[in-house]
Amino acid sequence: MSGKYATETLEATKSGIARAAEILRAGALVAVPTETVYGLAARADSDDAVARIYEAKGRPSFNPLIVHVASIEQAKKLADFEPEAERLAAEHWPGPLTLVLPRKEGAGLADAVTAGLPTIALRMPDHPVMQALLAEAGVPLAAPSANRSGFISPTSAQHVLASLEGRIDAVVDGGECSAGVESTIVAVRADGSVEELRPGPLDIASGTGGKGGVEAPGQLASHYAPGKPVRLDAKHADSDEFMIGFRDVGGDCSLSAEGNLGEAASRLYACLHLAAASEKPRIAVAPIPEEGIGKAINDRLRRAATPAD
């Protein structure tokens, strides 16, 4: 990949998916919908292809990638599964759960996928387009969110093109993503304990925090940024602020007038994209309850509001 060129938009049809798989097998980049957000896919077994992800996104090399697999059997060729990891995969895959597990010797993956760590982040997505693409491509796919690094994640093909047009080969337009926030990431430790590294649609971990440093995607303090100052827990907007409302706090864009946290999660990035594109130089966001998927919403908002170093 060199220079800027037109990004091909593909329909989420059998022929479109076949074309996307052809592009991926050749070592190029395709943005594809999942149930969480759009991912920027490349074959995970190619050093050159994975390097193109980091180049297109401007992603720091120390930030590892999630590898998407078609089945638990494929995942077991890449990582060591202890009983607790097997239980979690059986219970929550396919779905919005990423497991951080010890990387298997001879897994045959690009070194950059794990950013030099002895672990690997694996997910089996629950979206018909991504599932069909994995089956057609025949290889595991590294796929972080399909946006420039640190900026708002995409939940539509239009969001992808706004950020990566001319920097990637193709995008499969599968409509809007249903969950709207990235997967829950948990690490399964050697003693069988489960530690949450990033909150998401599922709330299953017994501990939180991580060992320190970056063990998985989405742990950078400043992330999901709209490029403007963000004020949280706002009950009203100042005159120069784009207001993102929730429940009885109205605004320029409401996450959910009914106070439905699932709807709020699905609309979060769409509202942030609108706020980023507005003429107002600042953003205010209504209070979001710290419960259920609200914890994931607040995690993304806190990172969006944290200034970059």
Side-chain angles (χ1 to χ4, degrees):
M1 184 177 68
S2 62
K4 186 163 180 155
Y5 56 97
T7 295
E8 187 176 356
T9 298
L10 304 171
E11 294 183 359
T13 60
K14 185 175 181 180
S15 60
I17 290 168
R19 169 63 179 152
E22 177 186 22
I23 293 170
L24 288 166
R25 286 194 296 269
L29 304 180
V30 178
V32 57
T34 76
E35 72 275 28
T36 56
V37 300
Y38 273 68
L40 181 58
R43 56 185 305 160
D45 60 351
S46 167
D47 288 325
D48 288 342
V50 171
R52 290 188 177 104
I53 290 179
Y54 283 94
E55 178 186 355
K57 284 177 62 70
R59 186 181 180 93
S61 61
F62 59 79
N63 200 3
L65 306 176
I66 294 174
V67 175
H68 294 68
V69 295
S71 65
I72 294 179
E73 290 70 31
Q74 187 179 49
K76 287 182 175 180
K77 295 177 181 178
L78 306 177
D80 293 324
F81 276 71
E82 297 300 332
E84 182 62 14
E86 290 202 26
R87 183 190 71 79
L88 289 170
E91 185 173 345
H92 297 289
W93 280 3
L97 174 67
T98 295
L99 296 174
V100 174
L101 304 170
R103 177 175 172 169
K104 184 165 282 186
E105 286 290 329
L109 298 176
D111 289 337
V113 165
T114 57
L117 298 171
T119 54
I120 182 172
L122 293 172
R123 184 164 94 86
M124 182 178 166
D126 186 19
H127 191 287
V129 173
M130 186 55 147
Q131 289 178 339
L133 185 57
L134 283 162
E136 184 76 18
V139 293
L141 298 176
S145 57
N147 58 287
R148 293 284 287 166
S149 184
F151 290 87
I152 307 167
S153 297
T155 54
S156 71
Q158 291 70 35
H159 293 164
V160 174
L161 292 171
S163 178
L164 295 176
E165 170 71 55
R167 302 182 66 87
I168 64 175
D169 299 85
V171 56
V172 180
D173 189 349
E176 295 186 356
C177 302
S178 57
V181 293
E182 295 83 354
S183 62
T184 300
I185 301 180
V186 300
V188 181
R189 305 302 187 191
D191 62 1
S193 63
V194 179
E195 192 169 13
E196 183 182 85
L197 303 182
R198 181 179 72 185
L202 301 176
D203 189 7
I204 61 175
S206 56
T208 60
K211 294 181 177 180
V214 176
E215 288 189 84
Q219 290 188 294
L220 300 180
S222 180
H223 205 36
Y224 317 108
K228 299 176 180 179
V230 178
R231 182 168 65 94
L232 304 180
D233 298 319
K235 299 293 181 64
H236 59 83
D238 292 337
S239 60
D240 64 344
E241 291 179 321
F242 182 100
M243 185 71 198
I244 297 177
F246 179 76
R247 198 173 283 160
D248 55 352
V249 178
D252 301 288
C253 178
S254 178
L255 296 175
S256 175
E258 291 75 33
N260 184 303
L261 288 173
E263 180 184 18
S266 71
R267 289 182 50 77
L268 174 62
Y269 291 136
C271 283
L272 282 173
H273 277 283
L274 287 174
S278 79
E279 295 180 354
K280 295 181 179 179
R282 300 167 61 220
I283 301 168
V285 185
I288 306 296
E290 188 76 11
E291 60 187 43
I293 201 171
K295 291 188 290 185
I297 296 170
N298 283 320
D299 171 78
R300 306 308 192 270
L301 288 171
R302 283 190 290 269
R303 296 177 194 273
T306 299
D309 293 336

